[in-house]
C-alpha cells in the first residue's frame, strides 16, 4: 500500500522523470486499463462478496419487490460470522517462523536468521496483519501485504510488513498461479489530495495540476463505492504504485496515469540474488475463467435461502387468506385489513360458513424447513460448532489436533496457499535484512520469561588474543537456510502429557518432574513446583536411613557369623592337632570326642562362603530393583516411540505399495487401450483396402 509517511525511505533511490518516460507511462496506463476491463466480472463479484460480509445482502430490485408485497426484508447473517470464525480458528493455529540449516555448520546462522525474522514480524505486528490478509482472502479471494523500508535508528533502514487493501490491488490478468508468480505487473493505488504529492517529490503537485480531469475511463468498480467520501474535494488524483517486470528485473513507477512522479529498480532480492517485487500476494481460489474468488461464492446461495425463507415465513405469519361467499361482506378491502390485524373485527351477513379465515400452515412449515436446511449448509462448512466450542476447553493435545483436522479438512487448498505465502514473506525479509542491516543491533530473545536475553548481530568483539573479530555479521552468513514454520508445541507437549498421565494411571512409576515439565502450566509455576519437589522429605529420608541401617546390620551379622564359624573351625583344628600330639607321646589319647577329619573342616568353610554369597546376593538384588525402578518409565517411552515409528513406516510402505499398484494398473490400462486402438486401426485399414480393391459393378 502506498504510504506517504515512509515514502522517502522506501523510494530512496529513484529515477527522475525524463522525456523517455512518456512511452513508458502509456504502457503502464494500458496495463491498468487491461486489468480493469478483463477483470470487471471478478471485481463485481468481489464487491458483492464484501457486501455480503458486511450484512448488505439484499439487492435494490429485491427490496422493491418486498416493499410491493409488504414483506419484511429480514437478514439472518451467517456468512460474516462464518468468515470471522474461520479467520479466528486459523489465527489459533498460527506458529512462529523457524529456520533450519541444511549443513552442520549452519546451526548458528539458522538461529540468527530465526531471531531476525521474528524481530521483523514482531515490529510489524505480523500476527494481526496475517489475520487481516486471511480475512481478505476468505472474502475477496486475494490477500496482500508489502515489504517496506522505513527510516531506522541504527544508521540503516528498518524492515516492516504493511497491510495492503485488496480492493486497491491490481495485477496482470493473465496470472493463474495462486502465488502470482507468473504475473508481469501488479501494484496498488489510492486516492490522494494533490497537496500530499509534494511529500513524495518536490514539485509533484505542479506536474499533475494540468491533468486532474484526464482520468476518463481510468476507473474500477470499487471507486464508485467510495465516491461520496470525496464530495467536498475535487482536487484529488489517483496515485498508482506500479511494479512491473522487464526481463528478469523488477522496476517500479509511481504515477497518476498521466504524469510519472518517480521510478526506479526494485530494492529487494531473493536468496538466489534475483530481483523480486515488494508485494506478496496469494489467492484463495481461481476458477476455470481465471477469476479469483473467496468462500462467499460458496456461502451466497445458502445465505440467500436463509434470508428469503425466513422473510417469507414471517410474511406468512402476518398475513391471512379469506374465503368469502358472494355478498357475505359489504367491503372486501375493509374485511382484508381487519383480518390482517390481530384485533380486527370481521363483519358479515348470512351463514357463518360464508366467511372463513385460512392460515397457510403447511407453507409456513415448508419455509421453515428450507430455512433450517440453509442454516445447516452454512454451519457445516469448515470448522463446525463443536470445534469452536470445545477448542477453548481443557482438552488434550491429541484431542485438539483431531478436532483441528476434522474441522479444517475442507480448507486444505486455502491453508496451503496461506502457508506458502507466509514462507515467501519470511524468506524475503531475511534476504532484505542481510542486505540492508549493516549496523550493530541487539535482538531480544524471549526464551526465558523471567530474564530478557539479547542476541548481538553485526557486532565487534575481542578474541582471546585481544584482536577484534566480527560477531554474527548477517552479510557473511552464506549457508543455505530452509525457512519453515515452527512445530505446534502445544499439541506435541499435550501428547506427551497424555502419555505420561496414562502411564501413571496404570500404576507405572513416572517421576513427578516429567509430568510437570510436560504440562501446560506457566513457566513460573513449573519452576515453583519443581523447587518444592527438589526439597528433601524428612519422612522419606528417615525411611531410607532405616532401610540402609537394616541392610548394614544384616551384612554385619552375616560377617560376624562367618567370623564365628571361622574361629570355631580354627579352634577345632587346634584341638585336633593337640590330640594327635598327645597320642604320639602317650600312645593313646584319653577318652573324648572323636577328632574331626579334613572333610569336616572343608564343609564348615563351604558353609561360611555360602553365607557370604547369600548376603552379597541380597545386596545385588536390592540394587537391581532400584535400577529397574529408574529405567522402567524410560523403557516404556522408548517402546511407545518405537511402536509409533513402526506404524509410521508401515503406513509409508502401504502408501507406496498402493501407489505402485495404481501405477501398474494405469500402465496396463494404457497398454490395453493402445492395443485396442491398433487393432481398430488395422481393421479399418483392411476394410478400406478391401473396399478399394472391390471390383466396380458394371451397369
Amino acid at each position: 500500500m502506498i504510504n506517504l509517511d515512509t515514502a522517502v525511505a522506501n523510494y530512496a533511490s529513484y529515477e527522475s522523470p525524463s522525456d523517455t518516460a512518456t512511452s513508458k507511462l502509456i504502457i503502464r496506463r494500458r496495463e491498468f486499463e487491461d486489468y480493469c476491463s478483463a477483470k470487471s466480472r471478478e471485481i463485481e463479484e468481489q464487491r458483492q462478496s464484501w457486501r455480503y460480509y458486511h450484512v448488505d445482502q439484499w439487492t435494490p430490485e429485491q427490496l422493491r419487490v418486498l416493499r410491493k408485497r409488504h414483506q419484511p426484508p429480514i437478514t439472518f447473517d451467517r456468512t460474516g460470522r462464518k468468515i470471522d470464525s474461520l479467520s479466528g480458528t486459523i489465527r489459533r493455529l498460527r506458529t512462529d517462523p523457524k529456520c533450519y540449516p541444511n549443513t552442520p555448520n549452519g546451526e548458528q546462522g539458522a538461529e540468527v536468521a530465526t531471531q531476525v525474522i521474528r524481530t521483523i514480524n514482531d515490529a510489524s505486528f505480523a500476527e494481526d496483519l496475517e489475520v487481516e490478509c486471511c480475512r481478505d482472502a476468505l472474502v475477496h479471494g486475494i490477500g496482500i501485504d508489502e515489504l517496506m523500508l522505513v527510516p531506522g535508528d541504527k544508521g540503516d533502514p528498518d524492515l516492516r510488513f504493511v497491510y495492503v487493501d485488496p480492493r486497491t490491488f491490481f495485477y496482470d490478468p493473465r496470472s493463474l498461479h495462486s502465488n502470482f508468480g507468473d504475473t508481469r505487473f501488479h501494484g496498488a493505488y489510492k486516492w490522494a489530495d494533490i497537496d500530499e504529492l509534494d511529500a513524495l517529490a518536490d514539485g509533484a503537485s505542479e506536474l499533475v495540476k494540468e491533468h486532474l480531469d484526464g482520468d476518463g475511463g481510468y476507473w474500477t468498480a470499487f471507486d464508485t463505492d467510495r465516491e461520496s467520501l470525496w464530495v467536498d474535494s475535487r482536487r484529488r488524483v489517483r496515485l498508482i504504485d506500479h511494479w512491473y517486470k522487464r526481463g528478469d528485473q523488477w522496476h517500479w513507477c509511481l504515477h497518476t496515469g498521466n504524469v510519472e512522479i518517480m521510478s526506479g529498480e526494485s530494492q529487494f532480492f531473493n536468496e538466489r540474488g534475483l530481483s523480486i517485487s515488494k508485494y506478496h500476494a496469494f489467492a484463495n481460489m481461481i476458477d476455470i475463467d481465471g477469476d479469483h474468488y473467496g468462500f462467499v461464492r460458496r456461502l451466497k446461495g445458502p445465505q440467500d435461502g436463509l434470508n428469503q425463507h425466513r422473510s417469507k415465513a414471517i410474511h406468512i405469519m402476518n398475513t391471512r387468506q379469506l374465503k368469502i361467499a358472494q355478498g357475505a361482506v359489504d367491503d372486501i378491502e375493509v374485511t382484508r385489513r381487519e383480518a390482517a390485524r390481530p384485533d380486527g373485527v370481521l363483519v358479515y351477513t348470512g351463514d357463518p360458513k360464508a366467511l372463513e379465515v385460512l392460515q397457510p400452515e403447511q407453507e409456513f412449515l415448508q419455509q421453515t424447513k428450507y430455512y433450517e436446511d440453509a442454516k445447516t449448509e452454512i454451519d457445516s462448512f469448515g470448522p463446525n460448532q463443536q470445534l469452536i466450542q470445545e477448542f477453548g476447553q481443557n482438552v488434550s493435545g491429541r484431542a485438539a489436533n483431531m478436532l483441528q483436522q476434522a474441522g479444517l479438512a475442507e480448507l486444505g487448498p486455502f491453508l496451503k496457499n496461506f502457508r506458502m505465502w507466509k514462507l515467501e514473506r519470511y524468506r524475503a525479509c531475511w534476504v532484505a535484512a542481510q542486505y540492508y542491516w549493516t549496523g550493530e543491533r541487539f535482538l531480544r530473545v524471549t526464551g526465558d520469561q523471567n530474564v530478557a536475553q539479547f542476541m548481538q548481530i553485526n557486532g565487534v568483539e575481542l578474541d582471546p588474543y585481544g584482536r577484534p573479530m566480527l560477531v554474527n555479521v548477517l552479510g557473511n552468513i552464506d549457508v543455505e537456510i530452509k525457512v519453515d514454520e515452527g512445530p505446534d508445541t502445544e499439541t506435541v507437549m499435550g501428547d506427551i502429557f497424555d502419555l505420561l498421565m496414562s502411564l501413571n494411571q496404570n500404576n507405572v512409576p513416572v517421576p513427578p518432574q516429567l509430568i510437570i515439565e510436560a504440562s501446560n502450566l506457566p513457566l513460573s509455576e513449573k519452576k515453583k513446583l519443581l523447587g518444592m519437589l527438589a526439597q528433601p522429605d524428612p519422612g522419606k529420608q528417615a525411611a531410607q536411613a532405616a532401610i540402609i541401617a537394616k541392610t548394614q546390620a544384616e551384612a554385619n551379622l552375616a560377617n560376624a557369623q562367618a567370623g564365628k564359624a571361622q574361629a570355631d573351625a580354627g579352634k577345632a583344628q587346634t584341638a585336633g592337632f593337640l590330640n594327635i600330639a598327645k597320642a604320639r607321646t602317650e600312645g593313646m589319647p584319653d577318652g573324648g570326642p572323636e577328632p574331626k577329619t579334613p572333610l569336616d573342616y572343608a564343609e564348615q568353610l563351604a558353609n561360611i562362603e555360602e553365607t557370604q554369597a547369600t548376603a552379597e546376593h541380597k545386596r545385588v538384588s536390592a540394587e537391581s530393583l532400584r535400577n529397574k525402578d529408574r529405567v522402567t518409565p524410560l523403557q516404556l517411552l522408548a517402546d511407545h516411540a518405537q511402536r509409533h515409528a513402526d506404524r509410521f513406516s508401515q503406513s509409508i510402505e502401504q502408501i507406496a505399495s498402493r501407489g505402485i499398484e495404481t501405477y501398474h494398473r494405469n500402465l496396463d490400462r494404457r497398454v490395453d487401450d493402445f492395443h485396442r486402438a491398433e487393432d481398430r486401426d488395422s481393421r479399418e485399414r483392411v476394410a478400406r483396402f478391401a473396399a478399394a480393391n472391390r471390383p466396380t459393378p458394371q451397369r
Side-chain angles (χ1 to χ4, degrees):
M1 187 64 181
I2 303 172
N3 192 337
L4 298 177
D5 296 333
T6 59
V8 177
N10 196 48
Y11 299 105
S13 174
Y14 66 90
E15 303 170 0
S16 300
S18 61
D19 296 337
T20 60
T22 304
S23 59
K24 180 175 66 175
L25 186 60
I26 294 174
I27 298 175
R28 304 286 83 81
R29 175 165 181 146
R30 186 182 300 120
E31 289 176 346
F32 186 87
E33 292 176 346
D34 291 342
Y35 164 78
C36 296
S37 60
K39 292 295 180 178
S40 59
R41 184 175 59 180
E42 175 184 319
I43 295 173
E44 185 60 33
E45 181 180 1
Q46 291 167 347
R47 293 176 63 237
Q48 191 177 32
S49 298
W50 282 110
R51 291 188 179 277
Y52 268 75
Y53 177 76
H54 292 297
V55 204
D56 184 9
Q57 300 171 358
W58 293 95
T59 64
E61 181 62 28
Q62 290 174 337
L63 293 176
R64 283 194 296 269
V65 173
L66 294 181
R67 283 194 298 269
K68 185 177 180 181
R69 295 178 183 172
H70 301 286
Q71 181 176 334
I74 304 299
T75 303
F76 280 74
D77 179 53
R78 288 275 173 174
T79 300
R81 294 174 57 188
K82 175 58 66 173
I83 295 297
D84 291 339
S85 67
L86 290 175
S87 179
T89 304
I90 294 173
R91 180 173 186 172
R92 292 181 180 181
L93 302 178
R94 183 184 182 274
T95 53
D96 291 328
K98 184 175 179 59
C99 300
Y100 300 95
N102 288 335
T103 59
N105 296 330
E107 289 289 345
Q108 184 178 0
E111 182 180 357
V112 173
T114 299
Q115 297 303 327
V116 168
I117 296 174
R118 291 184 179 181
T119 300
I120 297 174
N121 279 269
D122 293 341
S124 306
F125 301 97
E127 183 175 357
D128 298 331
L129 185 146
E130 291 172 4
V131 172
E132 290 289 329
C133 293
C134 175
R135 185 203 60 178
D136 292 342
L138 295 174
V139 178
H140 191 90
I142 303 175
I144 315 104
D145 75 342
E146 60 177 317
L147 183 60
M148 299 280 289
L149 296 175
V150 298
D153 56 354
K154 307 296 182 181
D156 49 16
D158 278 337
L159 297 168
R160 295 289 185 272
F161 288 111
V162 180
Y163 169 76
V164 177
D165 189 346
R167 287 164 287 196
T168 65
F169 183 72
F170 66 93
Y171 61 92
D172 188 350
R174 297 169 297 180
S175 175
L176 297 176
H177 290 181
S178 59
N179 63 348
F180 293 88
D182 56 343
T183 185
R184 299 293 299 179
F185 67 87
H186 57 208
Y189 70 90
K190 66 170 294 185
W191 287 100
D193 201 299
I194 190 173
D195 296 333
E196 297 179 87
L197 300 183
D198 290 333
L200 298 175
D202 294 337
S205 60
E206 297 295 333
L207 292 175
V208 301
K209 278 184 178 180
E210 300 178 358
H211 302 277
L212 291 179
D213 298 329
D215 276 343
Y218 200 57
W219 297 75
T220 66
F222 285 112
D223 294 327
T224 59
D225 296 335
R226 302 177 181 180
E227 177 69 19
S228 59
L229 301 179
W230 293 85
V231 66
D232 295 333
S233 176
R234 295 300 178 185
R235 296 173 56 82
R236 61 168 180 165
V237 64
R238 185 199 303 271
L239 191 61
I240 301 178
D241 188 9
H242 202 126
W243 287 66
Y244 60 95
K245 196 172 184 180
R246 182 183 297 167
D248 292 334
Q249 178 68 37
W250 278 91
H251 299 259
W252 59 270
C253 177
L254 193 65
H255 62 90
T256 63
N258 296 311
V259 177
E260 177 183 324
I261 298 176
M262 62 178 69
S263 62
E265 296 183 354
S266 173
Q267 307 96 337
F268 303 104
F269 308 91
N270 60 13
E271 60 272 15
R272 297 187 301 274
L274 300 178
S275 175
I276 62 174
S277 172
K278 70 172 183 177
Y279 289 103
H280 299 91
F282 75 101
N284 185 350
M285 294 290 179
I286 304 175
D287 62 13
I288 57 176
D289 296 324
D291 291 338
H292 300 68
Y293 66 95
F295 287 143
V296 178
R297 177 185 288 189
R298 297 182 178 179
L299 302 175
K300 181 177 179 296
Q303 181 64 61
D304 288 341
L306 200 72
N307 296 335
Q308 294 171 9
H309 292 305
R310 176 55 68 183
S311 176
K312 186 62 178 178
I314 296 177
H315 183 247
I316 292 173
M317 291 173 58
N318 296 331
T319 57
R320 307 290 187 273
Q321 292 180 350
L322 300 178
K323 183 179 179 181
I324 306 175
Q326 186 70 28
V329 297
D330 296 335
D331 192 338
I332 295 178
E333 293 300 326
V334 172
T335 305
R336 187 200 307 274
R337 290 195 298 269
E338 292 296 326
R341 295 173 56 184
D343 58 347
V345 178
L346 301 178
V347 180
Y348 64 95
T349 59
D351 188 3
K353 296 182 179 180
L355 176 61
E356 184 178 356
V357 179
L358 303 178
Q359 185 72 26
E361 298 179 356
Q362 187 64 28
E363 184 179 357
F364 175 78
L365 294 177
Q366 290 178 353
Q367 296 292 341
T368 304
K369 181 180 180 302
Y370 295 148
Y371 167 82
E372 294 295 337
D373 292 342
K375 177 176 175 294
T376 304
E377 180 68 20
I378 295 178
D379 291 342
S380 62
F381 177 73
N384 49 37
Q385 293 298 322
Q386 181 181 6
L387 173 66
I388 302 298
Q389 295 172 2
E390 295 186 6
F391 196 91
Q393 300 177 2
N394 187 18
V395 297
S396 64
R398 184 176 298 276
N401 189 27
M402 293 176 65
L403 286 175
Q404 293 173 11
Q405 298 302 323
L408 299 175
E410 294 180 283
L411 308 182
F414 168 76
L415 293 178
K416 184 266 295 182
N417 296 338
F418 185 52
R419 177 178 177 274
M420 296 305 296
W421 170 72
K422 291 194 293 183
L423 298 186
E424 182 181 358
R425 296 167 56 248
Y426 297 156
R427 295 190 183 97
C429 71
W430 161 243
V431 176
Q434 284 185 299
Y435 186 81
Y436 288 105
W437 282 9
T438 57
E440 183 180 9
R441 294 172 182 262
F442 288 91
L443 307 181
R444 188 172 187 272
V445 182
T446 58
D448 189 350
Q449 297 181 2
N450 296 327
V451 180
Q453 302 176 359
F454 295 90
M455 174 185 293
Q456 183 184 15
I457 62 173
N458 297 330
V460 179
E461 292 183 354
L462 298 179
D463 61 7
Y465 302 100
R467 296 173 299 183
M469 65 176 183
L470 300 177
V471 178
N472 293 332
V473 179
L474 299 185
N476 293 340
I477 300 178
D478 57 355
V479 295
E480 295 183 0
I481 297 177
K482 177 183 178 183
V483 182
D484 197 356
E485 293 179 300
D488 193 351
T489 306
E490 294 183 357
T491 300
V492 175
M493 295 305 295
D495 293 340
I496 297 176
F497 181 77
D498 294 341
L499 175 61
L500 295 177
M501 291 302 296
S502 65
L503 292 176
N504 191 21
Q505 293 174 359
N506 293 326
N507 298 325
V508 176
V510 179
Q513 292 84 351
L514 293 180
I515 298 178
I516 293 175
E517 285 291 343
S519 66
N520 56 358
L521 294 173
L523 184 62
S524 58
E525 296 296 329
K526 288 184 180 181
K527 289 184 176 181
K528 185 186 299 182
L529 294 177
L530 292 176
M532 295 172 61
L533 291 176
Q535 296 178 358
D537 188 357
K540 288 186 177 181
Q541 284 186 339
Q544 291 177 357
I547 294 174
I548 294 174
K550 182 179 178 182
T551 304
Q552 291 179 350
E554 291 178 354
N556 294 333
L557 179 60
N559 292 332
Q561 291 176 353
K564 183 177 179 300
Q566 188 174 4
D568 292 341
K571 181 179 180 182
Q573 185 178 8
T574 303
F577 291 155
L578 181 60
N579 291 334
I580 293 173
K582 287 182 178 180
R584 290 179 179 176
T585 55
E586 299 178 1
M588 189 174 186
D590 295 337
E594 183 179 357
K596 293 184 179 181
T597 63
L599 183 60
D600 296 332
Y601 298 140
E603 185 178 359
Q604 290 181 356
L605 292 175
N607 292 333
I608 295 171
E609 293 177 355
E610 183 180 1
T611 303
Q612 293 178 346
T614 302
E616 184 65 25
H617 177 69
K618 290 181 179 179
R619 289 194 296 271
V620 173
S621 298
E623 185 65 24
S624 177
L625 290 175
R626 286 194 294 270
N627 293 333
K628 186 176 181 180
D629 291 339
R630 299 190 189 100
V631 174
T632 299
L634 300 178
Q635 184 64 35
L636 291 175
L637 291 175
D639 294 340
H640 175 76
Q642 183 63 35
R643 287 194 300 270
H644 182 73
D646 294 339
R647 287 196 299 270
F648 179 75
S649 61
Q650 291 175 1
S651 300
I652 294 298
E653 292 177 357
Q654 292 175 359
I655 293 173
S657 300
R658 286 197 297 269
I660 294 174
E661 292 176 359
T662 303
Y663 172 76
H664 285 296
R665 284 198 300 270
N666 294 334
L667 184 61
D668 294 339
R669 189 179 298 110
R670 287 197 294 268
V671 171
D672 293 340
D673 294 340
F674 175 77
H675 286 300
R676 283 196 296 269
E678 289 295 327
D679 293 340
R680 185 167 56 253
D681 294 342
S682 63
R683 287 195 298 270
E684 291 178 357
R685 288 196 297 269
V686 170
R688 287 196 300 269
F689 181 75
N693 294 332
R694 186 180 298 118
T696 305
Q698 297 180 356
R699 297 182 178 178

